[in-house]
Amino acid sequence: MKLANYPVEEFSKILASGAPAPGGGSAAALQGSLGAALLHMVAALTCGKEKYKDSEPLVNEILTKSEKLRAAFIDVMDRDTEAFDGVSAVFSMPKSTGDEKAARSAAMQTALKACTLTPFEMMQLCEQALALVEKAVGKTNASAASDLGVSALSLKAAVQGAWLNILINIGGIKDEDFADHYRAAGEAILSRVLPMADKIYDTVINSL
């Protein structure tokens, strides 16, 4: 069964179990989906209200894009666990001969790269979602301002969680060009996203 199809209580129990997956990567993706969902909720609570009629085009944009982002986070949540399962599978490969050891090593490198790509995708989704949250600040239902703040916090946690998963994987990757590329790309996203998330939070908390 896909992680997204589990009831919340059951998902929480699975996450708390001794199994190595799902783990932090899937939890980060779930956090991202909650951030996108909260953003969508705020837009839904704004849509159609006379007080915010000037924001209607923006609200409609947020409604469309935030739902797509929410679904994308849910999709990557399962794919992150699947990628980690690929790493786990390598440990059961034989390693008695030189050829077997070489095949095992190559498979591990492939698996680690796959485990880098999914959290990087999460980081990209977080940046897109936070850009929408930033647009929404001050132009959506003021009664839901705290929800917008929680959205920003959720997406900040998601992007930082995804970054931790990138770092732990590229540490074992021998392809230096690959590792350097995703380290630089991830750092670039963080440099843009973290100040944005903090600014959103500060703006929201000062409005309450």
Side-chain angles (χ1 to χ4, degrees):
M1 183 187 293
K2 287 184 174 294
L3 294 175
N5 294 333
Y6 281 99
V8 172
E9 174 67 15
E10 188 64 23
F11 181 91
S12 178
K13 287 181 178 179
I14 294 170
L15 196 62
S17 73
S26 292
L30 176 59
Q31 195 71 51
S33 76
L34 296 177
L38 281 168
L39 173 60
H40 190 278
M41 183 193 83
V42 172
L45 290 170
T46 307
C47 188
K49 293 190 178 297
E50 181 66 21
K51 182 178 179 180
Y52 301 100
K53 64 180 181 180
D54 291 343
S55 298
E56 199 72 13
L58 172 62
V59 169
N60 287 330
E61 176 191 357
I62 292 172
L63 285 170
T64 299
K65 292 182 177 179
S66 61
E67 172 55 22
K68 289 180 180 178
L69 287 164
R70 185 201 62 78
F73 276 117
I74 291 296
D75 175 62
V76 80
M77 178 175 70
D78 273 298
R79 288 193 287 111
D80 184 81
T81 295
E82 290 168 4
F84 183 81
D85 287 342
V87 171
S88 298
V90 174
F91 290 110
S92 64
M93 293 177 65
K95 53 179 180 178
S96 300
T97 68
D99 287 345
E100 287 177 345
K101 289 178 181 177
R104 192 172 188 266
S105 178
M108 178 58 79
Q109 291 300 303
T110 298
L112 288 174
K113 286 182 177 181
C115 282
T116 300
L117 297 178
T118 47
F120 183 73
E121 185 177 342
M122 287 181 220
M123 293 187 76
Q124 292 176 310
L125 293 172
C126 287
E127 182 169 23
Q128 294 172 44
L130 275 165
L132 284 175
V133 177
E134 187 175 46
K135 286 183 177 182
V137 174
K139 296 179 180 177
T140 49
N141 196 325
S143 297
S146 60
D147 301 295
L148 208 56
V150 176
S151 172
L153 290 173
S154 297
L155 291 163
K156 181 182 179 183
V159 76
Q160 289 182 298
W163 177 235
L164 290 175
N165 277 268
I166 288 174
L167 290 177
I168 200 167
N169 287 304
I170 62 176
I173 292 175
K174 297 176 182 178
D175 183 341
E176 293 184 4
D177 289 339
F178 181 95
D180 289 346
H181 170 75
Y182 283 97
R183 184 184 297 275
E187 288 175 344
I189 291 177
L190 286 179
S191 71
R192 296 189 296 268
V193 165
L194 296 185
M196 188 190 308
D198 290 340
K199 180 182 177 182
I200 292 167
Y201 178 77
D202 289 342
T203 301
V204 169
I205 204 167
N206 288 330
S207 73
L208 300 179

